[in-house]
């Protein structure tokens, strides 16, 4: 009897300790069918994936997403075996093990952090780099909840989030959020404590990259110059053309600062994300309150693509770079046009630098 009591009333390990200590070994054990240890891993949300179409990774495997290049914007597919979430019990009904068991249950939660922008700034790279962190559970696809699907409600939004253990940080990225007028208030209504990340890039380079993506899908689009200027003779810039309008960072950020304090918004340099990915990732991890686990040992520079790729981890056959759409050659724009656009953006950039207290060095 004493042995039975000792066996069933020992303090339960935390979800974090289960994940950190057992995960590397139990992935193999699950696949090998070692039932006893595999059961413990199942309790922590392992040995499985989310239901098809969820666009998420298996719980407890936040660092594995970048190993796949499945052509679906980082979306993972599969089936999942997982312990059902503990139901709320009346006071006094919970047994001594109920809290520990609840900690081991992977559940869908609303995000605590959002990558809100900007398009063609490096948001996909940042997301994939962050997914290496074991304490981050990030949605691979862009849900567009706050700009396109807001009428579906928070329960729909929660339902598309990846399952996460207690202590893991849930996040998603949708670059359109940054420039959509209604989004700051909607995000604030969900959580006034959510952490916001914006990846910014030289607005001229960003605009050309945006146009390059447009013509890759619609090759008969008019030339860049004819769209960038209202009047090419006078050089009047069409600031309402989407590729140029997105680069008015101060204008968009002003709306967010009306709802969130500056300290809740972290800016990532798209240029530094290429030249010093480990440094930028370190600062993002600090901002999110996480240990710096993603470091320079995870990266190498791919000269063909012109940006960092991830070194192959133990057990993987090849390194991983982002898809074919990343790093493609930009459309050719005449130097005179580039100079005119730099003149146009200069006062807007200076205003942005003053707002954020940081000079990004764009010409």
């Amino acid at each position: 009897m004493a042995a039975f009591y000792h066996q069933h009333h020992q303090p339960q390990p935390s979800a974090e300790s289960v994940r950190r200590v057992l995960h590397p070994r139990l992935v193999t054990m699950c696949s090998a069918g070692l039932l006893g240890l595999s059961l413990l891993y199942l309790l922590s949300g392992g040995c499985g994936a989310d239901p098809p179409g969820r666009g998420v990774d298996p719980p407890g495997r936040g660092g594995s997403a970048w190993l796949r290049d499945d052509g679906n914007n980082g979306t993972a597919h599969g089936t999942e075996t997982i312990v059902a979430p503990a139901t709320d019990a009346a006071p006094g009904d919970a047994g001594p093990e109920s809290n520990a068991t609840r900690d081991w249950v992977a559940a869908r939660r609303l995000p605590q952090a959002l990558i809100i922008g900007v398009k063609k700034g490096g948001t996909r790279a940042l997301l994939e780099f962050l997914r290496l962190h074991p304490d981050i559970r990030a949605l691979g696809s862009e849900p567009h909840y706050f700009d396109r699907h807001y009428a579906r409600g928070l329960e729909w939004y929660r339902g598309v989030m990846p399952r996460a253990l207690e202590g893991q940080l849930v996040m998603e990225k949708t670059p359109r959020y940054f420039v959509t007028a209604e989004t700051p208030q909607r995000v604030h209504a969900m959580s006034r404590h959510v952490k916001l990340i914006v990846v910014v890039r030289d607005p001229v380079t960003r605009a050309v990259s945006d146009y390059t993506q447009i013509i890759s899908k619609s090759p008969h689009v008019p030339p860049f110059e004819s769209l960038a200027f209202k009047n090419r003779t006078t050089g009047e810039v069409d600031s309402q053309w989407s590729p140029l309008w997105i680069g008015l960072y101060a204008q968009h950020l002003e709306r967010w600062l009306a709802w969130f304090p500056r300290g809740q918004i972290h800016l990532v340099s798209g240029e530094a994300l290429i030249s010093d990915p480990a440094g930028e990732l370190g600062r993002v991890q600090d901002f999110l309150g996480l240990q710096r686990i993603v470091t320079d040992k995870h990266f190498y520079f791919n000269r063909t693509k012109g940006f960092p790729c991830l070194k192959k981890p133990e057990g993987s056959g090849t390194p991983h770079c982002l898809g074919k759409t990343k790093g493609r050659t930009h459309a050719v724009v005449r130097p005179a046009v580039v100079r005119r656009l730099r003149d146009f953006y200069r006062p807007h950039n200076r205003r942005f630098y003053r707002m954020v207290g940081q000079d990004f060095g764009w010409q």
Side-chain angles (χ1 to χ4, degrees):
M1 188 67 179
F4 178 87
Y5 182 90
H6 178 78
Q7 177 182 356
H8 290 274
H9 292 270
Q10 289 296 309
Q12 298 297 318
S14 68
E16 183 178 358
S17 64
V18 170
R19 184 171 68 254
R20 289 187 184 282
V21 176
L22 296 180
H23 174 263
R25 299 179 177 85
L26 289 177
V27 170
T28 303
M29 293 177 180
C30 287
S31 61
L34 299 182
L35 181 59
L37 289 174
S38 295
L39 179 59
L40 180 58
Y41 188 59
L42 282 170
L43 290 174
S44 70
C47 298
D50 282 295
R54 288 291 187 184
V56 296
D57 299 318
R61 296 181 64 185
S64 65
W66 61 274
L67 297 178
R68 295 185 301 276
D69 187 6
D70 53 18
N72 193 27
N73 203 23
T75 301
H77 299 281
T79 58
E80 179 177 29
T81 304
I82 193 163
V83 177
T87 57
D88 293 332
D93 290 348
E97 297 178 357
S98 61
N99 289 336
T101 302
R102 186 177 290 109
D103 284 347
W104 293 1
V105 173
R108 300 190 194 280
R109 299 195 303 271
L110 292 172
Q112 298 119 299
L114 301 172
I115 300 175
I116 59 174
V118 298
K119 180 184 179 185
K120 307 310 294 179
T123 59
R124 170 55 57 183
L126 177 63
L127 183 77
E128 294 303 316
F129 296 165
L130 285 172
R131 292 175 88 183
L132 292 174
H133 201 294
D135 289 332
I136 289 178
R137 297 289 290 121
L139 186 64
S141 56
E142 296 175 4
H144 284 277
Y145 171 64
F146 294 104
D147 62 330
R148 296 179 186 170
H149 303 299
Y150 194 64
R152 297 190 178 204
L154 280 176
E155 286 309 305
W156 176 86
Y157 189 42
R158 188 198 311 272
V160 301
M161 288 298 114
R163 294 186 185 272
L165 297 172
E166 189 68 28
Q168 287 183 311
L169 185 146
V170 178
M171 68 186 305
E172 63 110 329
K173 77 107 176 169
T174 303
R176 193 71 185 176
Y177 290 165
F178 185 63
V179 298
T180 303
E182 303 84 5
T183 299
Q185 182 177 0
R186 291 174 175 179
V187 173
H188 188 272
M190 177 193 74
S191 171
R192 58 191 178 91
H193 301 295
V194 68
K195 294 186 175 183
L196 306 168
I197 300 173
V198 187
V199 188
V200 290
R201 181 184 186 186
D202 181 326
V204 177
T205 307
R206 198 220 65 81
V208 176
S209 178
D210 199 344
Y211 175 77
T212 301
Q213 183 179 56
I214 291 171
I215 61 175
S216 72
K217 300 176 181 179
S218 304
H220 300 298
V221 168
F224 181 92
E225 296 176 33
S226 65
L227 297 172
F229 298 104
K230 292 181 179 179
N231 187 318
R232 278 192 282 182
T233 303
T234 62
E236 183 183 0
V237 173
D238 186 357
S239 61
Q240 295 305 303
W241 182 43
S242 180
L244 299 182
W245 173 73
I246 291 174
L248 300 174
Y249 301 143
Q251 174 181 314
H252 306 306
L253 182 64
E254 192 170 41
R255 287 195 300 269
W256 289 91
L257 291 175
W259 291 95
F260 295 94
R262 172 69 182 88
Q264 231 167 289
I265 303 174
H266 180 74
L267 297 168
V268 174
S269 165
E271 288 82 12
L273 196 59
I274 295 174
S275 62
D276 181 24
E280 285 299 299
L281 265 291
R283 288 182 280 275
V284 173
Q285 290 169 92
D286 293 345
F287 171 70
L288 295 175
L290 300 176
Q291 182 181 350
R292 287 195 177 197
I293 290 178
V294 184
T295 63
D296 55 1
K297 68 182 180 182
H298 292 99
F299 302 98
Y300 77 96
F301 189 80
N302 185 302
R303 295 186 181 279
T304 301
K305 281 186 166 290
F307 58 74
C309 295
L310 296 162
K311 293 179 181 177
K312 65 177 181 180
E314 185 176 351
S316 174
T318 58
H320 176 79
C321 287
L322 298 180
K324 295 179 181 179
T325 62
K326 309 299 180 182
R328 57 188 161 200
T329 303
H330 283 180
V332 176
V333 178
R334 291 191 301 115
V337 173
V338 172
R339 286 194 298 271
R340 175 67 190 98
L341 291 178
R342 294 207 182 282
D343 291 340
F344 166 75
Y345 276 118
R346 191 167 292 111
H348 297 282
N349 291 342
R350 288 172 178 167
R351 181 177 173 226
F352 180 64
Y353 297 165
R354 290 194 298 271
M355 290 175 69
V356 302
Q358 182 177 350
D359 187 334
F360 288 87
W362 302 319
Q363 297 179 4

